[in-house]
Amino acid sequence: MSAGTRSREAEIVRDLVAEHGETFAHEAGIPLKDTPQPLYRLLVLAVLLSARIRGSVAVAAARELSEAGLRDPRSMAAADWQRRVDALGRGGYRRYDERTATQLGEGAELVQERWGGDLRRLHREAGGDVAALRDLLQEVPGLGPAGADIFLREAQAVWTDIAPYLDTKALSGAERLGLPEDPERLASVAGDTDPAALAAALVRAALDKKVAEKVAESVG
């Protein structure tokens, strides 16, 4: 790779992250830390984002669940089904509200029973194996491969041992921008850029070609 190519790629990354690097957790008002409640709220957000629904609606629904006091698996499991449905509805999450309300209740019970309400235990159970971590996440109702990827893209901000976590969706954004599609090479170009912010920005480029077009115009 020539120095000019690497310089241009680095500039693309800088511009992309500056404009579109807000993580979905931050957008949903989750102050992400490696502690039980923020990690659980991120899990809920990943479940909501997994459905075929606009990201902004999923984020709004996550905020409403939090406002309703459903911020940890104990409170989520204890809440009646209608309370969860109502909170999702206030966030505009209506097409999948009933099914998702059920999944959130079942998922909360699983997190409590399997990991004592603390997803750091899930992290430790995987023993540093990212594939195993991804499989464990998919035991949560409503969280398939795409949802597990969403969670891990964001969680790498605090679970630094899994970084860089750049899944197929993020790498499709890299392809659209003409960036390296190998995670390690891409991380090298990104330097000390927050990997979670990089992943979020790449996903936005994958979802909206206008994002990639504007970045390309700005770099020239």
Side-chain angles (χ1 to χ4, degrees):
M1 181 192 302
S2 70
T5 298
R6 186 176 179 83
S7 176
R8 185 176 189 279
E9 290 175 347
E11 188 177 355
I12 289 172
V13 168
R14 283 195 301 271
D15 284 11
L16 176 70
V17 173
E19 291 295 323
H20 305 285
E22 182 182 25
T23 64
F24 291 95
H26 186 270
E27 190 178 347
I30 302 171
L32 193 58
K33 294 182 288 188
D34 192 21
T35 54
Q37 189 180 108
L39 289 171
Y40 176 71
R41 290 176 63 190
L42 176 60
L43 185 74
V44 169
L45 177 61
V47 169
L48 298 176
L49 286 166
S50 296
R52 295 180 181 276
I53 200 162
R54 291 197 313 277
S56 59
V57 173
V59 166
R63 284 182 171 274
E64 288 295 338
L65 287 165
S66 179
E67 288 295 320
L70 309 182
R71 303 185 187 95
D72 58 71
R74 185 180 299 278
S75 60
M76 185 70 79
D80 64 44
W81 178 81
Q82 191 61 52
R83 184 179 171 194
R84 295 193 294 267
V85 169
D86 290 346
L88 291 168
R90 288 193 298 274
Y93 203 93
R94 296 188 177 87
R95 184 177 176 187
Y96 302 99
D97 55 351
E98 296 186 355
R99 183 185 69 182
T100 302
T102 299
Q103 290 172 335
L104 290 175
E106 293 172 348
E109 291 175 1
L110 173 68
V111 172
Q112 282 188 283
E113 293 168 5
R114 179 77 182 272
W115 299 295
D118 187 348
L119 291 172
R120 293 176 300 182
R121 296 184 182 181
L122 176 150
H123 187 200
R124 289 195 293 270
E125 184 178 332
D129 185 331
V130 177
L133 185 55
R134 191 171 183 264
D135 288 343
L136 285 170
L137 285 165
Q138 291 177 65
E139 295 183 20
V140 177
L143 207 67
D149 285 337
I150 291 167
F151 180 91
L152 293 173
R153 287 198 307 258
E154 302 270 317
Q156 67 182 316
V158 291
W159 290 353
T160 55
D161 60 304
I162 68 172
Y165 191 87
L166 299 168
D167 65 320
T168 302
K169 179 66 72 176
L171 293 177
S172 68
E175 179 184 18
R176 177 170 274 176
L177 289 156
L179 293 170
E181 295 170 57
D182 174 77
E184 294 297 336
R185 280 187 59 204
L186 185 51
S188 176
V189 169
D192 60 359
T193 301
D194 175 6
L198 173 63
L202 289 170
V203 167
R204 288 186 169 93
L207 295 174
D208 186 352
K209 66 179 182 180
K210 291 180 180 178
V211 168
E213 290 170 354
K214 288 179 180 178
V215 171
E217 287 175 8
S218 68
V219 173

